[in-house]
Amino acid sequence: MLLQYNKSLLCLLFYFVPFSLIIGTFVTNLSVALICFIFLIIVLSEGRISYFFNKLFLFFLIWCLVLLISSIFSTDPIFSLSSSLFYFRFGLFSLAVWFIIENNKDALRYFTYSLLGAFTIVIIDGYIQYFLGENILGYTYVNGRLGGLFGDELILGSYLSRLYPLLLGLIFLNFLEKKRYLYFVFSLFIFIDILIYLSGERVAFLNLIISALLIILLIDKWKKIRLITLGLSLVIIVSISMSNDTVKNRMVDQTLNKIGIGSENTYIFSEEHQNFYISSIKMFSDRPLIGNGPKMYRKLCYEEKYFYVSKNTNLNTCSSHPHGTYPQLLAEAGLIGAIPAIFIFFWILYLFVSHLYLKMKKGYLKLSDYQICIIVSIFLTLWPLIPSGNFFGSWLSTIYYLPIGFLLHSFANNKS
């Protein structure tokens, strides 16, 4: 009886994850911790430890050990270990997602409803804030930035754009065989595309474009739906930009200005980002193998050999992280810590290229449309030519590791 209760609770927590990400970091952390704890109780009590011998998970544990070593040999081990000591929980989280889907035949469908419900709430609230100037919680629309239910954190676009490919895959899997859902899904895609742009998050919009192009290029059955919805969305986005100077200034004018297009100096994304990357390279050059320790960029950037202020803008090199996945991994985890991410990135590229080759030359599909969408979600995490949030941050890590659980289950089903 107790075991069945734990399994039911585990499923409920799993369905709650999309909402926990909206509520905040503390609730997200608590949800992930409970999922991992209950998952361990269930698999150990049932003797189902085969999940832990998955090659990818073992590879992940070795990487976690590298992060621990990097923290221990950092200049502030206690501070660094606060980020790396329990980082293995995200690997357990992915295994738990795999376990839930594999042992509950309705889990995929119910999680689709959950994620769809969370997206619907975020979308409605986001448009309320855009049109009325204030959302249901009283947060205001300022300087072309929509925060919606995320308040002052301004991560509405990040939430939507990073989970969007996963939602697409689940919708392709569960809904589009039923034509009565087609018009709803068609409209939903357009509303999401436009809101990501209106959020004022340039990285989120770039993530949207990258994921949309990859999905259109690689999927088989629902290509026309995504192509048409993206085309209509871009037409509306262009119209909004032409009629709304605030949105145009944020998404077009400021972007060109920060990159330096039309000026004497051109920067990598912006002068501020370029400063972060220069400091990261200096940190990496000092400790190239195991890095300076997770979470240490925010401390080391104030040291004289890494810190400097730009002459033109007075921007300095300090932040909580260097706003780039690979600069952060190289600076904080060194080459040994960065290699796994680089390896997985090229493995994903291989999957995409081989899938496209087999599809065009032999008419054979290496990956299903559902799998492609999940892998695209993971690809956004590792795509190097774009700024990113704190790689070791718990909120973002939950989004990073969530689709991996779906992929592990899907690949396990392929083998069986």
Side-chain angles (χ1 to χ4, degrees):
M1 182 67 72
L2 181 60
L3 189 61
Q4 187 58 45
Y5 172 79
N6 285 334
K7 288 182 177 179
S8 299
L9 181 58
L10 184 64
C11 288
L12 289 174
L13 287 168
F14 172 54
Y15 305 145
F16 179 66
V17 168
F19 297 97
S20 73
L21 289 163
I22 299 171
I23 297 171
T25 302
F26 174 78
V27 177
T28 301
N29 276 334
L30 181 60
S31 299
V32 170
L34 288 173
I35 287 172
C36 294
F37 180 68
I38 296 171
F39 166 67
L40 284 174
I41 290 175
I42 294 172
V43 295
L44 292 176
S45 62
E46 293 186 341
R48 303 175 66 178
I49 60 173
S50 59
Y51 287 94
F52 303 128
F53 293 99
N54 174 270
K55 290 180 181 178
L56 185 61
F57 182 68
L58 294 175
F59 182 67
F60 171 78
L61 288 181
I62 294 171
W63 183 59
C64 287
L65 180 61
V66 171
L67 297 181
L68 285 173
I69 293 171
S70 178
S71 290
I72 291 169
F73 287 96
S74 69
T75 56
D76 192 341
I78 301 300
F79 183 77
S80 182
L81 283 169
S82 67
S83 179
S84 61
L85 185 59
F86 296 104
Y87 190 76
F88 67 89
R89 71 189 185 276
F90 294 110
L92 287 178
F93 174 60
S94 295
L95 292 185
V97 171
W98 174 14
F99 174 84
I100 293 166
I101 299 170
E102 188 173 72
N103 292 275
N104 187 330
K105 61 184 179 64
D106 296 319
L108 278 173
R109 181 160 55 89
Y110 287 149
F111 186 85
T112 305
Y113 294 146
S114 173
L115 186 57
L116 195 57
F119 262 58
T120 302
I121 293 170
V122 169
I123 291 166
I124 292 172
D125 182 78
Y127 279 107
I128 289 174
Q129 188 179 49
Y130 176 72
F131 286 111
L132 302 183
E134 186 176 279
N135 80 330
I136 59 176
L137 297 179
Y139 293 110
T140 56
Y141 175 47
V142 181
N143 297 326
R145 300 298 303 273
L146 287 175
L149 293 170
F150 300 94
D152 298 331
E153 290 191 61
L154 302 176
I155 51 175
L156 181 151
S158 179
Y159 176 86
L160 293 176
S161 65
R162 291 188 180 279
L163 290 176
Y164 195 5
L166 176 60
L167 178 64
L168 279 174
L170 291 169
I171 287 175
F172 291 158
L173 187 68
N174 290 287
F175 287 127
L176 289 188
E177 294 292 346
K178 302 173 183 177
K179 292 185 178 179
R180 66 179 180 272
Y181 294 121
L182 188 60
Y183 295 109
F184 168 73
V185 170
F186 194 91
S187 302
L188 179 71
F189 289 173
I190 295 174
F191 280 122
I192 295 173
D193 291 345
I194 296 171
L195 187 60
I196 290 173
Y197 181 78
L198 292 177
S199 73
E201 293 179 55
R202 292 181 285 263
V203 172
F205 185 64
L206 189 54
N207 276 333
L208 168 68
I209 298 301
I210 292 169
S211 64
L213 293 177
L214 283 172
I215 288 169
I216 290 169
L217 178 66
L218 295 169
I219 65 174
D220 180 58
K221 196 170 184 180
W222 309 112
K223 187 186 300 287
K224 289 183 180 178
I225 289 178
R226 188 64 190 111
L227 183 60
I228 293 170
T229 54
L230 179 64
L232 289 173
S233 298
L234 290 176
V235 169
I236 297 171
I237 284 169
V238 170
S239 301
I240 292 173
S241 297
M242 292 176 66
S243 60
N244 189 321
D245 290 337
T246 302
V247 173
K248 176 179 177 293
N249 178 60
R250 169 69 192 174
M251 296 299 289
V252 181
D253 299 339
Q254 287 187 30
T255 301
L256 297 177
N257 182 58
K258 283 181 174 293
I259 296 173
I261 294 176
S263 66
E264 295 181 0
N265 300 311
T266 302
Y267 304 106
I268 302 173
F269 306 123
S270 72
E271 186 176 8
E272 190 172 18
H273 284 93
Q274 187 163 296
N275 290 346
F276 295 149
Y277 300 159
I278 291 171
S279 280
S280 297
I281 292 170
K282 289 182 178 180
M283 292 179 194
F284 168 68
S285 64
D286 277 354
R287 303 186 71 175
L289 291 181
I290 61 170
N292 296 276
K295 205 177 177 179
M296 288 301 296
Y297 180 91
R298 69 190 68 193
K299 280 203 164 188
L300 295 176
C301 65
Y302 288 101
E303 293 187 5
E304 185 177 353
K305 58 182 174 180
Y306 307 127
F307 181 87
Y308 67 93
V309 178
S310 302
K311 294 180 181 179
N312 297 329
T313 60
N314 288 326
L315 295 170
N316 65 51
T317 60
C318 276
S319 178
S320 59
H321 56 92
H323 295 270
T325 295
Y326 295 98
Q328 182 175 5
L329 285 174
L330 289 170
E332 296 187 343
L335 188 60
I336 297 175
I339 283 177
I342 296 169
F343 173 80
I344 294 174
F345 172 73
F346 281 104
W347 174 68
I348 290 175
L349 285 182
Y350 164 75
L351 286 179
F352 286 162
V353 172
S354 60
H355 172 82
L356 193 60
Y357 172 79
L358 290 171
K359 179 183 174 183
M360 295 177 65
K361 295 294 184 180
K362 300 184 178 182
Y364 169 74
L365 297 178
K366 183 183 182 73
L367 302 165
S368 67
D369 288 355
Y370 166 66
Q371 288 173 329
I372 286 168
C373 290
I374 297 172
I375 297 171
V376 166
S377 185
I378 299 168
F379 179 83
L380 293 179
T381 301
L382 300 173
W383 175 242
L385 303 178
I386 192 170
S388 67
N390 180 9
F391 185 85
F392 297 110
S394 55
W395 186 87
L396 205 51
S397 291
T398 303
I399 292 179
Y400 285 173
Y401 286 88
L402 177 63
I404 294 175
F406 288 85
L407 190 64
L408 289 171
H409 168 259
S410 180
F411 281 177
N413 275 1
N414 282 359
K415 289 180 180 180
S416 62

